[in-house]
Amino acid sequence: MNQEDSNDARLERILRNAQRNKIELFDGKNSPQNISIYGFLLGIVCGGGFIFSFYGSIPQLGLFLSALTIFHFMEYLSTALFNPHTLTLDSYLINHGRQYHAAHTAAFIEFFIEYYFFPRWKTFNYISYLVDHKEKDHVLVTHGIYKIMRHPSYFGFFWWALGAQLLLLNPVCFVGFILVLQKFFSDRITYEEHTLQRFFGQEWIEYKAKTPTWMPFI
């Protein structure tokens, strides 16, 4: 075998190895790159849906997308934690069968048809549920969890949302969530606490002074 034949054989082996090691995305194979890109896209949709739920015109759609992506990620995570030897790309349960996709397709179609023709059916407003007048039986609760923090439900949601992004290892969404949540809850709590001060006066002022929210800059 001459030198030229040897070089041709070596080149052929290199090309075969390159073909075998070629990175393909969305080819359905249980490869690290596919698992990573699926997780990345789920994180993007989750974060985008969550932000849209605060700043979009139809917030329930954003919440639905976030909840849906969290479901798929948790399916993968639960398999990874409790049954790792069966862990594959399909553990995300994104390809969950025709009926599953048909159900969600029907849900989206109904939602957008009704939103187009009957937009008032899809109205969703957090502020509309805030109380702005004091009833006779209203009292300022300062015991239990309220002795430790103001607005415990907001505290839980705030840190759950950030924790979810840490779990997904999404640094961009983590920072984005901090900014969005801080703005949303700061505005909402300012409104609520102004109302509470009208209701309870000095009692509220003293309670607020000694009880934190445990949320940064709020």
Side-chain angles (χ1 to χ4, degrees):
M1 179 181 295
N2 57 36
Q3 184 66 32
E4 184 176 348
D5 291 337
S6 177
N7 290 338
D8 289 343
R10 187 180 301 111
L11 179 60
E12 186 177 349
R13 286 197 302 273
I14 292 173
L15 292 175
R16 283 200 303 267
N17 289 334
Q19 186 64 33
R20 283 198 302 267
N21 297 326
K22 184 179 179 181
I23 295 177
E24 296 284 354
L25 297 178
F26 305 110
D27 59 359
K29 294 180 180 178
N30 186 38
S31 61
Q33 56 267 22
N34 275 328
I35 292 173
S36 298
I37 197 67
Y38 273 44
F40 173 76
L41 292 176
L42 285 174
I44 291 294
V45 174
C46 181
F50 192 76
I51 293 172
F52 186 76
S53 70
F54 288 108
Y55 289 99
S57 57
I58 40 178
Q60 62 270 44
L61 179 61
L63 290 174
F64 173 77
L65 290 173
S66 293
L68 184 63
T69 53
I70 288 172
F71 160 75
H72 286 292
F73 182 80
M74 293 305 295
E75 285 290 336
Y76 185 89
L77 181 62
S78 62
T79 303
L81 291 175
F82 302 109
N83 207 9
H85 65 281
T86 65
L87 191 67
T88 67
L89 183 65
D90 289 334
S91 298
Y92 281 115
L93 293 186
I94 293 176
N95 298 317
H96 204 21
R98 293 181 180 178
Q99 295 87 346
Y100 180 77
H101 293 304
H104 283 300
T105 300
F108 279 112
I109 290 174
E110 178 188 352
F111 180 87
F112 284 112
I113 289 176
E114 292 175 356
Y115 180 74
Y116 182 80
F117 289 104
F118 311 104
R120 294 183 62 184
W121 290 10
K122 305 300 181 183
T123 300
F124 189 85
N125 191 339
Y126 288 110
I127 301 301
S128 64
Y129 296 100
L130 296 177
V131 176
D132 62 0
H133 62 280
K134 185 180 180 183
E135 302 289 350
K136 292 182 179 180
D137 59 348
H138 278 172
V139 296
L140 180 62
V141 179
T142 59
H143 59 273
I145 188 64
Y146 290 93
K147 188 175 182 179
I148 302 172
M149 67 182 70
R150 310 192 317 269
H151 311 289
S153 62
Y154 297 163
F155 167 87
F157 189 89
F158 183 92
W159 292 110
W160 170 83
L162 296 184
Q165 294 312 302
L166 285 178
L167 186 65
L168 293 171
L169 302 178
N170 290 338
V172 175
C173 286
F174 180 77
V175 174
F177 274 38
I178 291 176
L179 298 176
V180 171
L181 290 172
Q182 197 280 332
K183 176 66 167 61
F184 174 79
F185 283 124
S186 180
D187 291 346
R188 184 178 175 91
I189 287 174
T190 298
Y191 176 87
E192 286 191 10
E193 294 192 343
H194 174 74
T195 303
L196 288 168
Q197 186 169 335
R198 286 196 296 109
F199 287 1
F200 302 107
Q202 187 63 30
E203 184 183 7
W204 166 258
I205 294 174
E206 293 175 0
Y207 169 73
K208 179 181 178 181
K210 64 183 180 182
T211 312
T213 64
W214 298 111
M215 290 178 281
F217 309 111
I218 298 176

